Amino acid sequence: MIELDFNITIVGLGLIGGSFAMALKELNPKNLWGVDIDEDIIKTAEETGIIDKGYLKPQAPLENSDIVIICIYPNMTIKFIRDNMNCFKTGAIITDTAGIKDKLVREINSFLREDLDFIAGHPMAGREYKGLEFASKDMFADASYIITPTYRNNKENIDIVEDIVKKIGFRDVVKISPEEHDKIMA
């Protein structure tokens, strides 16, 4: 059985965040925590074993998370990181799942602490429905994943993100600049 020797927090337990949680749970991370603004979603995710524990307030899981996967809209991602900057564990890897990268990466890197590594990611997967009830541990099977590394990123951390996404089912991992990503997506 594969194991991930990390404490992981998923921010936003909707379709993508819920699917990440379900797929990651199969890899037995040390702890898998969820942060969401909806108490009912947290309760459902806990009761069904999608996460180990859920939180409305992110401070406790962020202080202990080696990896934080943010699965919310781009502007909310920027705000979440800015508002919780002092909560992140030293050396944490932060990644996201947003479909735009250039503005997001530039803004986050403009205020990100030096000891944190924001590695932007974009799963090329989804459904026409949204919400935890449509999430699936198999959503990412054979899909592609885009990583948009920058000069700030640590190669070892990029490798960790790539390894994790491959373990949860992504077949191809492509690395391109944030600008190139947005040109292709447009």
Side-chain angles (χ1 to χ4, degrees):
M1 174 174 270
I2 299 171
E3 290 196 16
L4 289 180
D5 195 29
F6 299 109
N7 287 323
I8 301 173
T9 293
I10 309 277
V11 178
L13 294 171
L15 175 67
I16 299 296
S19 296
F20 258 96
M22 290 174 180
L24 287 167
K25 192 70 170 160
E26 304 267 309
L27 302 178
N28 292 314
K30 279 188 198 174
N31 289 287
L32 182 58
W33 299 307
V35 173
D36 203 280
I37 58 172
D38 187 327
E39 198 166 358
D40 292 333
I41 296 292
I42 290 171
K43 186 177 178 189
T44 298
E46 287 176 339
E47 288 173 353
T48 57
I50 294 170
I51 57 172
D52 296 320
K53 184 160 178 39
Y55 298 85
L56 290 169
K57 297 183 188 306
Q59 182 175 352
L62 293 182
E63 288 174 343
N64 295 291
S65 290
D66 305 298
I67 299 171
V68 178
I69 303 168
I70 303 177
C71 305
I72 54 181
Y73 294 114
N75 287 339
M76 293 171 67
T77 297
I78 294 165
K79 182 175 175 12
F80 181 87
I81 293 172
R82 181 180 279 126
D83 290 353
N84 293 286
M85 183 62 59
N86 295 325
C87 299
F88 289 99
K89 178 181 175 179
T90 297
I93 298 169
I94 306 167
T95 189
D96 77 311
T97 60
I100 62 158
K101 293 294 169 222
D102 188 32
K103 176 181 184 262
L104 180 103
V105 169
R106 275 189 287 111
E107 277 203 46
I108 290 170
N109 281 339
S110 76
F111 62 79
L112 192 70
R113 289 183 355 222
E114 286 298 315
D115 63 314
L116 300 173
D117 202 359
F118 177 71
I119 300 169
H122 184 189
M124 302 304 295
R127 296 204 165 124
E128 59 274 13
Y129 305 105
K130 61 183 187 176
L132 182 63
E133 64 271 21
F134 298 104
S136 166
K137 69 179 179 72
D138 299 318
M139 177 174 296
F140 309 126
D142 296 324
S144 295
Y145 195 88
I146 300 172
I147 296 175
T148 61
T150 69
Y151 70 94
R152 277 195 63 158
N153 296 136
N154 175 311
K155 181 174 177 352
E156 284 178 35
N157 292 341
I158 294 170
D159 292 345
I160 288 169
V161 171
E162 182 172 1
D163 181 57
I164 289 171
V165 298
K166 283 183 174 177
K167 284 178 178 169
I168 63 171
F170 287 96
R171 183 190 52 214
D172 300 315
V173 177
V174 177
K175 295 179 196 112
I176 56 176
S177 72
E179 302 82 13
E180 190 65 24
H181 170 276
D182 288 357
K183 283 181 196 166
I184 291 168
M185 291 301 119

